[in-house]
Amino acid sequence: MQKRTLSVGLMLFALFFGAGNLIFPPALGQSAGEMVWQSMIGFFITGVGLPLLGVIALARTGGGLQTLTERVNPLFGSVFAIILYLAIGPFFGIPRTGTVSYEMAVVPFLPDSMNNGLTLFLFTVVFFTVTYWLSLNPSKLVDRIGNILTPLLLLIIVSLLVKAVITPVGKLGTASPDYASNPLVKGFMDGYLTMDTLGALAFGIVVITAVKRPDMKKEQVTKMVIKAGLIAATCLAAVYGILAYLGATSQALGQTDNGGQILTNVVAELFGPFGNVLLGLAVALACLTTSVGLVTACGEFSKKMFPNVSYKTVVLTMSVFSAGVANLGLTQLISVSVPVLTAIYPIAIVLILLSFLHDLFSGRKEVYIGGIVATALVSIADGLKAFGLKLGAIEQIYSHIPLYVDGIGWLLPAIIGSVVGFFIAVIRGRIVIFSTN
């Protein structure tokens, strides 16, 4: 049992650790400089802590994402689940694994004349063909990823990073204005970009399926998922910290546009051409495991939502569509995904946190509705603003909400909405605070 828990934990780490997890911590580190560890506290909350809570929340409910979201409302449950799976699936998350793999594992070894649309197309065809093949049999995910791909991935990453920590390329740099003024909040917001909290709600059912056995009780499944989640979270935190440190010491090599280029520059400085080969292999493995996990999760979800459509058909459609979207390029994908994540991420966070308080307020829908509606009113406005839309009077009103200018103005409304929902449930007599017995 212990060996299987370790395998599931490593599988979960590999599912989380993909495209964004490699490129965003170094970018944060370079911008944060001497404030890197204060920033990483915020990043750990959204990039490690909340994903762990998300997986545990699903294990406690005993079902998938819809089981959790339907506590608000059945219609909301279906709509939010579809939006989430589309966001982390074929629209943004899955294609991003292909584009990051190409830009970090292939482009450094190509002559400039071959770095074109045709080469990207051919690579994505191969990448998503392998993804499709590995996703065909979800029951073998633990064996293929947890026991084979993940140890290889960790070995490569550790080999690259140990030397980088022992012999850094420079000292901690100077923090940019955003990180110097409010590093914790800025790091918190940066954690959104990993998509891991959303991924946790999608991967949860995959992990539960991998853990569950016919003779296991719900409590045993939850306990094993918690242990596996802690293993994954520990690995994520360690790797994130090292990657951020690399970024923070890389200012001596010059400023770059993205975390992928930062990693490439640091590894080239420390190891030469051979280092870039190892880095490319690590990137390819990290992105492939995440791609497989996302395709599998989307396939399992679609099978429940649309039982007349076969799992194999869904997986094939996801792989082909994602390959097509991946050819738009990494920069375009990130620019479009940020507003969507800004809108839906806070809703997912509040949903997870309320699920842990479920028994405290007797699971009344009024509490969920109050918290989610209040959160959505602010987060959707933030998403529209990130798209470049002018909100006029709404923006002026919202600017008075504490922490709104920092991007987490939804926090206080979420608390107030949940409390209001609680008292509405009390007034309706659905929650008994004091007993006469």
Side-chain angles (χ1 to χ4, degrees):
M1 186 65 73
Q2 295 298 324
K3 181 180 179 181
R4 183 161 188 82
T5 302
L6 177 62
S7 296
V8 174
L10 292 176
M11 177 195 76
L12 183 57
F13 163 75
L15 295 180
F16 279 135
F17 193 74
N21 312 75
L22 272 166
I23 64 178
F24 293 125
L28 178 154
Q30 187 174 84
S31 297
E34 59 192 358
M35 305 299 291
V36 61
W37 300 121
Q38 293 91 325
S39 303
M40 284 305 293
I41 292 174
F43 190 90
F44 286 145
I45 292 173
T46 46
V48 179
L50 287 173
L52 173 61
L53 292 180
V55 173
I56 296 173
L58 288 188
R60 293 175 76 231
T61 64
L65 173 60
Q66 268 193 287
T67 305
L68 185 60
T69 54
E70 285 178 353
R71 289 177 171 179
V72 183
N73 177 274
L75 178 60
F76 169 82
S78 298
V79 172
F80 184 75
I82 291 172
I83 292 173
L84 185 145
Y85 274 102
L86 289 176
I88 67 168
F91 283 179
F92 304 130
I94 299 173
R96 192 173 70 178
T97 62
T99 54
V100 171
S101 296
Y102 174 76
E103 294 204 7
M104 292 185 65
V106 177
V107 170
F109 307 101
L110 290 177
D112 292 339
S113 59
M114 291 186 64
N115 183 14
N116 52 43
L118 177 60
T119 309
L120 174 61
F121 172 76
L122 293 175
F123 174 83
T124 52
V125 168
V126 174
F127 183 89
F128 287 105
T129 298
V130 175
T131 294
Y132 168 70
W133 176 71
L134 289 173
S135 303
L136 284 178
N137 194 338
S139 63
K140 293 184 178 180
L141 273 181
V142 172
D143 295 330
R144 289 172 173 171
I145 294 179
N147 295 335
I148 301 173
L149 293 181
T150 308
L152 180 59
L153 169 62
L154 284 173
L155 178 63
I156 294 172
I157 291 175
V158 170
S159 300
L160 287 172
L161 300 183
V162 166
K163 179 174 172 56
V165 172
I166 295 175
T167 58
V169 296
K171 297 180 180 180
L172 295 179
T174 303
S176 66
D178 287 345
Y179 289 92
S181 62
N182 208 338
L184 180 65
V185 173
K186 190 67 173 70
F188 184 93
M189 295 299 296
D190 286 343
Y192 281 15
L193 297 174
T194 65
M195 296 191 187
D196 280 350
T197 300
L198 304 182
L201 296 177
F203 292 146
I205 191 63
V206 177
V207 176
I208 292 169
T209 301
V211 166
K212 208 168 187 179
R213 291 291 180 270
D215 58 339
M216 290 180 70
K217 297 180 180 179
K218 180 181 175 181
E219 293 75 15
Q220 292 175 304
V221 173
T222 302
K223 187 176 180 180
M224 190 170 176
V225 169
I226 291 174
K227 290 181 179 179
L230 288 172
I231 292 171
T234 301
C235 293
L236 282 173
V239 175
Y240 285 161
I242 296 174
L243 288 172
Y245 176 74
L246 292 185
T249 58
S250 69
Q251 288 188 15
L253 302 178
Q255 296 289 332
T256 54
D257 295 332
N258 60 69
Q261 190 59 52
I262 293 171
L263 273 182
T264 300
N265 291 344
V266 171
V267 170
E269 179 73 15
L270 292 173
F271 297 93
F274 177 70
N276 281 331
V277 173
L278 284 180
L279 178 62
L281 184 57
V283 169
L285 283 173
C287 291
L288 180 61
T289 52
T290 298
S291 178
V292 172
L294 288 172
V295 169
T296 301
C298 290
E300 293 286 350
F301 171 73
S302 298
K303 188 169 63 175
K304 290 189 175 182
M305 285 288 291
F306 312 103
N308 293 329
V309 181
S310 70
Y311 173 83
K312 184 176 181 180
T313 299
V314 172
V315 168
L316 177 61
T317 303
M318 290 282 178
S319 300
V320 173
F321 185 84
S322 298
V325 175
N327 281 271
L328 295 176
L330 180 60
T331 302
Q332 288 82 354
L333 282 176
I334 292 177
S335 64
V336 175
S337 66
V338 168
V340 177
L341 294 177
T342 301
I344 67 176
Y345 224 95
I347 298 173
I349 292 174
V350 173
L351 188 62
I352 291 170
L353 295 180
L354 286 177
S355 75
F356 282 90
L357 302 174
H358 182 84
D359 294 338
L360 191 62
F361 55 83
S362 303
R364 301 317 309 175
K365 289 184 180 293
E366 291 88 344
V367 179
Y368 281 103
I369 292 172
I372 295 300
V373 169
T375 302
L377 287 174
V378 178
S379 68
I380 292 175
D382 282 337
L384 294 174
K385 187 172 66 173
F387 265 121
L389 297 179
K390 303 294 184 182
L391 301 180
I394 295 177
E395 177 71 14
Q396 292 180 359
I397 295 171
Y398 281 6
S399 64
H400 297 291
I401 300 175
L403 299 176
Y404 180 74
V405 295
D406 296 311
I408 51 177
W410 53 267
L411 182 58
L412 183 59
I415 296 172
I416 294 174
S418 300
V419 172
V420 170
F422 176 82
F423 282 109
I424 291 175
V426 170
I427 292 171
R428 289 181 172 180
R430 298 187 179 187
I431 296 178
V432 177
I433 298 181
F434 301 106
S435 176
T436 57
N437 294 331

